[in-house]
Amino acid sequence: MAAAALLGRVLEDGAGLGATRSTLEVRQSNFPAQRLYERFGFTVAGVRRGYYTSPVEDALILWKEQLP
């Protein structure tokens, strides 16, 4: 399943179960994933410094309000 289809399904299923918003983390250097999440309406809400290891890297905290 393509990443966009999978993410869309997860958000729809979450909304169907009563969720109204969603959050996730992504490596700061993972630009393809960031573009995908932005297309789905996620916005950067913060940074977790040194969150990832091998290599050490910051994580962007993303939120999406108002699930479908």
Side-chain angles (χ1 to χ4, degrees), residues 9 22-23 26 28 31 36-37 42-43 47 50 54 56 59 67:
R9 178 63 185 265
S22 181
T23 186
V26 63
Q28 195 167 20
F31 300 113
L36 171 67
Y37 300 144
F42 283 87
T43 58
V47 176
S54 298
V56 173
L67 293 184

Side-chain angles (χ1 to χ4, degrees), residues 23-55:
T23 186
L24 53 82
E25 296 94 18
V26 63
R27 281 186 180 268
Q28 195 167 20
S29 65
N30 191 343
F31 300 113
Q34 289 177 45
R35 284 191 296 274
L36 171 67
Y37 300 144
E38 287 172 3
R39 285 198 329 253
F40 276 84
F42 283 87
T43 58
V44 176
V47 176
R48 288 197 171 113
R49 302 280 175 214
Y51 183 75
Y52 291 103
T53 59
S54 298

